[in-house]
Amino acid sequence: MKALILAGGYATRLRPLSCTRPKLLFPIAGRPMLEWIIENLAKEGVDEIILAVNYMADLLRKHFKSRFNGIRIRYSIDPTPLGTGGPIKQAQGLLGGKGTFLAMNGDILSEAPIKSMLKAHRETGAIVTIALHKVEDPSRFGVAKMANRKRIEAFIEKPRKSDARSSWINAGIYIMEPRVFNYIDAGRKVSVEREVFPILAKREKLYGFKYYGPWFDIGKFEDYMNANHKFLARISGRTPMVGNGTKVRRSTQLIPPVVINRKVEIGDDCVIGPYVAIDDHVEIERGSRIARSILFQESKIGELSSIDSSIVGEHVVTGRNVKLRGGTIVSDYVSVRDNITLGPRVIICPYKEVDQSILKPMSVK
Ligand code: GTP
């Protein structure tokens, strides 16, 4: 089966880190988010992926090329941003006019059982079958109002928690028949959720498939950190994972879950973990302490520093005795001088030089 992955959003809620990379390349437990998605789709019988791209398409193309993990990858380019529906119509030629296909948001991490979903879809005669996921607080999502056990009558968008009739939400994963192309205008921005699904629901061609497994929607930094924690726990529960060419001094303690990628150097007497992901070519000098944080590639952390619950972008350089605290985000190519404390919730935009401590939540542009 072919799968279309929406990969062209601006990811405004992840700025400023998304100013320099598309959301789908943000690392989760040491690998770009889209790699995890492709891995699950491959297990579920998808053999060709079409990436619907727009914003920063070249970075995605450079990473995934025309084949990844044995799966053919093709690119459908929005001439202008086409929203969540327009890219499906735009990719009509690549998806072909005959076969049932999968379409999904590219910022959803799940283990959705696509094969079972496809089977359920075939039994109902639906044009679209939507994976539904149960959440505690549905107020950020579209909640399904069911006509019966399987058919969706409507979606209530972003209801208040108290108003939600059920908490089965649109999980952003869809099985579609080619007939869906008839419901999407070509060449303009279309919201599949607001413009296409309501019509299909009225025509009784919209069905749901309840999915009970893990599900992460990466919208905000909080979601990103949470997904990273869960993936770290899954792949490095009790054993630190250390990549090729990485050097960790004996006096340094690694507390799992922790994933350290390739060619990283960690000096003496550091404590790294728990819930830490460190990307390639990072350098951490002696006596530093890092917990619950994500370090992107090629960053350098000076000695005796402490980083907690923060994200450090790529090519960041921090001096000695720097402290990053709760929810702080230091973007790409920032340099931070010696003895600086940042946080809680300080956001530093790319290329800044930080020479003063900032102890209150604030964004430095
Ligand atoms: P925010 O700007 O923070 O809301 O994030 P976003 O740009 O990712 O938007 P949203 O979460 O609504 O997007 C859901 C999925 O659709 C993501 O995988 C996006 O990459 C993708 N997407 C959103 N808009 C477009 C678009 O105009 N074109 C394409 N090709 N994909 C899109």
Side-chain angles (χ1 to χ4, degrees):
M1 185 164 61
K2 292 185 185 185
L4 175 80
I5 301 180
L6 295 171
Y10 289 110
T12 49
R13 288 167 293 165
L14 293 180
R15 283 181 186 160
L17 286 176
S18 58
C19 294
T20 39
R21 63 183 62 72
K23 192 196 291 187
L24 279 67
L25 287 181
F26 274 52
I28 302 258
R31 291 173 71 185
M33 190 182 311
L34 188 51
E35 289 194 12
W36 293 111
I37 295 174
I38 294 178
E39 199 170 275
N40 186 55
L41 295 183
K43 271 192 227 145
E44 289 295 323
V46 168
D47 54 10
E48 181 173 328
I49 285 173
I50 296 148
L51 293 181
V53 291
N54 169 40
Y55 178 64
M56 300 212 162
D58 49 333
L59 291 179
L60 285 162
R61 215 187 258 276
K62 199 167 141 198
H63 189 86
F64 290 98
K65 305 195 171 72
S66 59
R67 190 160 276 280
F68 187 82
N69 262 8
I71 292 203
R72 182 176 188 198
I73 313 276
R74 297 209 280 172
Y75 298 83
S76 171
I77 301 163
D78 295 5
T80 54
L82 295 175
T84 51
I88 300 172
K89 181 77 175 174
Q90 177 76 14
Q92 184 170 357
L94 294 176
L95 288 163
K98 292 204 188 96
T100 307
F101 63 91
L102 179 83
M104 65 180 284
N105 289 352
D107 53 357
I108 302 290
L109 290 168
S110 79
E111 290 167 18
I114 306 299
K115 284 181 190 158
S116 312
M117 201 174 155
L118 183 60
K119 191 165 164 269
H121 172 82
R122 296 224 154 105
E123 283 164 6
T124 59
I127 294 182
V128 174
T129 298
I130 300 181
L132 301 174
H133 185 68
K134 202 169 183 156
V135 293
E136 284 276 305
D137 177 6
S139 54
R140 283 170 55 194
F141 303 102
V143 175
K145 186 177 168 202
M146 305 303 288
N148 53 41
R149 250 174 27 132
K150 293 181 180 167
R151 192 165 63 74
I152 298 171
E153 191 174 291
F155 275 103
I156 319 292
E157 281 300 322
K158 304 184 174 57
R160 276 187 310 203
K161 200 173 174 182
S162 50
D163 293 347
R165 285 162 172 248
S166 83
S167 35
W168 288 96
I169 57 139
N170 173 354
I173 304 165
Y174 319 117
I175 303 270
M176 294 184 160
E177 290 303 313
R179 272 183 291 159
V180 77
F181 296 129
N182 301 334
Y183 294 84
I184 311 173
D185 289 347
R188 74 165 175 94
K189 195 167 187 173
V190 175
S191 160
V192 79
E193 299 88 350
R194 274 182 237 113
E195 298 177 62
V196 180
F197 295 160
I199 299 175
L200 292 175
K202 260 199 199 121
R203 300 205 173 163
E204 305 194 352
K205 290 291 178 194
L206 192 67
Y207 283 74
F209 174 88
K210 289 183 175 167
Y211 161 61
Y212 293 85
W215 183 84
F216 303 96
D217 164 53
I218 318 289
K220 305 177 293 181
F221 278 113
E222 224 178 293
D223 306 323
Y224 175 53
M225 292 293 263
N226 178 39
N228 196 62
H229 278 29
K230 297 279 163 46
F231 269 69
L232 284 170
R234 199 175 93 190
I235 64 173
S236 152
R238 294 203 187 144
T239 323
M241 284 181 56
V242 177
N244 288 342
T246 283
K247 290 182 194 143
V248 180
R249 301 302 292 254
R250 278 196 172 198
S251 55
T252 274
Q253 194 191 353
L254 301 181
I255 306 174
V258 61
V259 170
I260 303 174
N261 281 11
R262 285 166 303 176
K263 300 198 175 163
V264 172
E265 292 202 12
I266 304 181
D268 277 311
D269 302 317
C270 293
V271 181
I272 311 289
Y275 297 101
V276 169
I278 300 179
D279 213 332
D280 297 350
H281 296 282
V282 168
E283 230 182 291
I284 298 168
E285 290 182 349
R286 75 173 180 98
S288 290
R289 171 87 182 83
I290 302 184
R292 295 167 286 276
S293 295
I294 307 171
L295 275 59
F296 288 18
Q297 59 191 356
E298 316 254 357
S299 284
K300 188 171 172 188
I301 308 300
E303 62 180 12
L304 304 170
S305 292
S306 142
I307 300 180
D308 190 2
S309 307
S310 295
I311 306 176
V312 175
E314 62 184 62
H315 292 276
V316 168
V317 178
T318 67
R320 77 192 294 271
N321 188 33
V322 164
K323 293 187 176 62
L324 305 182
R325 303 191 302 203
T328 288
I329 293 158
V330 179
S331 303
D332 302 348
Y333 292 94
V334 165
S335 70
V336 183
R337 296 242 180 108
D338 293 349
N339 305 314
I340 297 286
T341 298
L342 298 176
R345 296 197 306 284
V346 169
I347 296 179
I348 312 284
C349 283
Y351 299 101
K352 290 278 161 202
E353 279 187 34
V354 182
D355 55 8
Q356 287 180 31
S357 290
I358 305 172
L359 307 178
K360 284 193 297 205
M362 128 175 350
S363 193
V364 178
K365 297 199 171 121

